Amino acid sequence: MKVLSVASEIYPLIKTGGLADVAGALPLAMRHHGVEMRSLIPGYPAVMAKVGKTKKVATIPSLFGVKATILFVVHEGLELYVLDAPAFFQRDGGPYTDALGKDHPDNWKRFAALSLAAAEIAAGLIPAWKPDLVHAHDWQAGLVPAYMRYGRAPETPSVITVHNIAFQGQFSSAIFPELALPPQAFSVDGIEYYGDVGFLKGGLQMAYAITTVSPTYAREIHQGEFGMGLEGLIRARASHVSGIVNGIDTAVWDPLTDPMLPQPFSAKQLAKRAASREAVMRHFGLDGDGPIFCVISRLTWQKGMDLMAEVAGDIVAQGGMLAVLGSGDRALEGGLVQASYYHRGRIGVHVGYDEPLSHVMQAGCDAILIPSRFEPCGLTQLYALRYGCVPVVARTGGLADTVIDGNEAALAAGVATGFQFSNISADGLRQTLARVFDVWHQPDTWRQLQKNGMKSDVSWDKSGAAYAALYARLVSKGN
């Protein structure tokens, strides 16, 4: 089976968040299930610089007035189609923003171009490789099912995965005449969304199937609290919605072979985590022998970072330390930096992102705080489980699906892998931290928590099989 994956970022070429990790890991996982997956990605400067020699496989003379070529390359095992359209993608800054951090004003056209190119590939633009199914990711690829349905490849099935329904790609209706879609597409049954154009809405409306990145999140987005205005559409298409929890690339995230760690270790060698612990303490200027809690996150309201900041002093008061790696809301960044000055030696903050440091933190910290108000899946807790860093998570989305709460019964049965809290507030987090400290002072129980987490199956094996089954079902119906 041939499947075209369409994503705006992919690890290890370009990454701003978990979407890139999933887009990079899924194609490799699908090989074990008889699926040949190729990925279409934009030709950003970072991508073009890394892929090296490519092969031109197709030309689009006018992609919204811009000449574009499709390049093929195999990079670190990934089979990639790169959309080389310099007018859209050869720009300073990140994938979505300029050098000053502001959204590119023509993001609608840039990602409509990506979507239209994907639909052309689905229709046979590259004769030697015509996909049986197209898998679109998030709003940036949300128009792929629309372009396919409205003439490019109406019989080819499509899947759209919602990584975070809060990001929807909503733009003024004034852009519609430039989208190369028929007039009937601007309707409630098409891409019209509260009088605007909705990229994600269009994908959810017209894809053959909708997946989210965890079963719990698939249920949550039926509700107004989580559906972000799209819950009515999700409920209307409920029979087409399913949740498949993400996995991680266990070759990249393996504490026994990770080259970023000062010393490798396994579940049988937990004492060797000490080298990473020392590295964390040096980097963040920490001094103490209590548990080190870490945060590796965007510093935003969604991630519950205001709650984490509110309890930072409580962690210190109980003998713990806190190491924070992330960026986001400037007020939160400033508040945490100020707390690090006030609690010098007990709280350390690194504003920004550092991939090698994140590996060392997972390997050297004792627990990771993830108090998200909503979390479609989350990958950080999966990395933590793999590295013996005990997750302390809000009971929402994929966090609820992947961490077994260390309540009395689960601890007694020896199956717990972390801690959950359902009252997503500072008080709820404080109460859970009290449980965490209580278990921390029981070394044998704590080590069992770590070992349980490290034994958890966080790979793509089960999830890959679920995607393969979904693809096969859709292709079978299409035929």
Side-chain angles (χ1 to χ4, degrees):
M1 193 190 310
K2 296 181 176 67
V3 174
L4 177 68
S5 172
V6 188
S8 58
E9 53 187 85
I10 189 168
Y11 180 84
L13 291 173
I14 186 80
K15 173 180 173 178
T16 69
L19 167 61
D21 289 321
V22 175
L26 184 59
L28 302 178
M30 297 314 299
R31 289 178 186 166
H32 303 297
H33 302 283
V35 175
E36 180 186 349
M37 181 176 280
R38 295 186 177 182
S39 302
L40 176 68
I41 59 171
Y44 308 115
V47 170
M48 302 304 289
K50 292 177 183 177
V51 294
K53 188 176 181 180
T54 59
K55 177 184 178 182
K56 183 165 78 172
V57 293
T59 300
I60 304 176
S62 180
L63 188 62
F64 298 117
V66 169
K67 182 179 179 181
T69 55
I70 307 292
L71 309 175
F72 177 73
V73 66
V74 178
H75 181 81
E76 295 195 15
L78 295 169
E79 296 184 75
L80 305 172
Y81 289 125
V82 180
L83 178 58
D84 185 17
F88 292 139
F89 303 117
Q90 282 288 324
R91 303 180 183 183
D92 293 336
Y96 320 116
T97 59
D98 61 22
L100 298 176
K102 295 182 179 180
D103 285 354
H104 293 295
D106 63 344
N107 270 347
W108 65 271
K109 184 179 285 188
R110 299 170 73 227
F111 295 109
L114 178 69
S115 297
L116 181 54
E120 296 290 1
I121 294 173
L125 178 66
I126 305 170
W129 197 87
K130 187 175 185 295
D132 302 301
L133 178 144
V134 178
H135 187 160
H137 296 270
D138 269 352
W139 77 262
Q140 293 91 344
L143 290 188
V144 173
Y147 284 124
M148 291 172 65
R149 280 288 182 100
Y150 287 111
R152 261 67 181 191
E155 303 304 319
T156 301
S158 59
V159 176
I160 188 163
T161 293
V162 181
H163 295 262
N164 190 336
I165 206 167
F167 302 105
Q168 301 181 358
Q170 186 173 352
F171 302 96
S172 166
S173 60
I175 72 168
F176 179 77
E178 299 186 57
L179 287 177
L181 285 166
Q184 63 266 33
F186 192 70
S187 68
V188 69
D189 295 324
I191 67 171
E192 185 272 332
Y193 184 52
Y194 294 107
D196 289 337
V197 169
F199 278 44
L200 181 61
K201 188 268 183 177
L204 297 176
Q205 184 75 53
M206 281 174 260
Y208 281 52
I210 300 164
T211 69
T212 70
V213 288
S214 72
T216 293
Y217 192 60
R219 294 189 295 271
E220 287 176 341
I221 61 173
H222 285 70
Q223 309 163 27
E225 181 183 357
F226 297 97
M228 305 292 174
L230 288 166
E231 61 275 2
L233 174 55
I234 294 294
R235 287 196 294 268
R237 299 211 64 203
S239 63
H240 301 278
V241 179
S242 61
I244 301 175
V245 72
N246 283 338
I248 62 173
D249 188 333
T250 52
V252 172
W253 290 90
D254 183 349
L256 195 56
T257 59
D258 192 334
M260 300 180 193
L261 305 187
Q263 184 173 17
F265 65 93
S266 69
K268 295 179 180 179
Q269 306 164 318
L270 288 175
K272 292 185 178 181
R273 295 183 85 248
S276 292
R277 177 186 174 93
E278 291 170 7
V280 169
M281 295 183 75
R282 280 196 307 272
H283 183 90
F284 288 95
L286 303 178
D287 182 23
D289 55 9
I292 303 176
F293 292 83
C294 69
V295 168
I296 305 169
S297 175
R298 286 185 289 112
L299 304 179
T300 63
W301 179 88
Q302 180 216 321
K303 298 292 185 179
M305 289 297 106
D306 54 321
L307 309 180
M308 185 277 299
E310 196 171 335
V311 304
D314 297 76
I315 290 173
V316 173
Q318 295 180 74
M321 293 169 282
L322 176 64
V324 178
L325 171 63
S327 62
D329 183 275
R330 292 298 173 85
L332 280 171
E333 289 179 4
L336 288 167
V337 170
Q338 187 175 12
S340 72
Y341 289 134
Y342 185 76
H343 297 288
R344 193 177 299 275
R346 310 296 290 182
I347 296 178
V349 178
H350 180 126
V351 176
Y353 187 68
D354 183 318
E355 184 81 11
L357 178 58
S358 73
H359 284 240
V360 176
M361 291 173 72
Q362 295 280 22
C365 295
D366 299 290
I368 187 166
L369 300 178
I370 312 176
S372 303
R373 286 183 168 87
F374 62 94
E375 190 64 70
C377 178
L379 297 176
T380 310
Q381 82 279 11
L382 303 182
Y383 303 144
L385 290 167
R386 181 87 164 139
Y387 280 57
C389 185
V390 176
V392 181
V393 305
R395 188 174 295 156
T396 186
L399 301 175
D401 291 328
T402 54
V403 177
I404 301 173
D405 180 56
N407 57 55
E408 189 174 341
L411 289 172
V415 297
T417 60
F419 298 88
Q420 294 186 7
F421 60 101
S422 54
N423 174 16
I424 305 178
S425 65
D427 284 341
L429 181 52
R430 281 192 188 96
Q431 291 167 13
T432 303
L433 285 171
R435 291 198 290 140
V436 175
F437 275 99
D438 181 57
V439 177
W440 162 260
H441 290 297
Q442 304 171 47
D444 290 344
T445 305
W446 188 268
R447 278 193 294 272
Q448 189 60 52
L449 267 179
Q450 292 177 292
K451 291 178 179 179
N452 289 346
M454 295 180 76
K455 289 188 295 184
S456 298
D457 183 2
V458 295
S459 73
W460 274 102
D461 290 348
K462 292 180 181 178
S463 302
Y467 273 118
L470 173 64
Y471 297 160
R473 187 163 65 249
L474 295 176
V475 170
S476 156
K477 285 182 180 178
N479 294 334

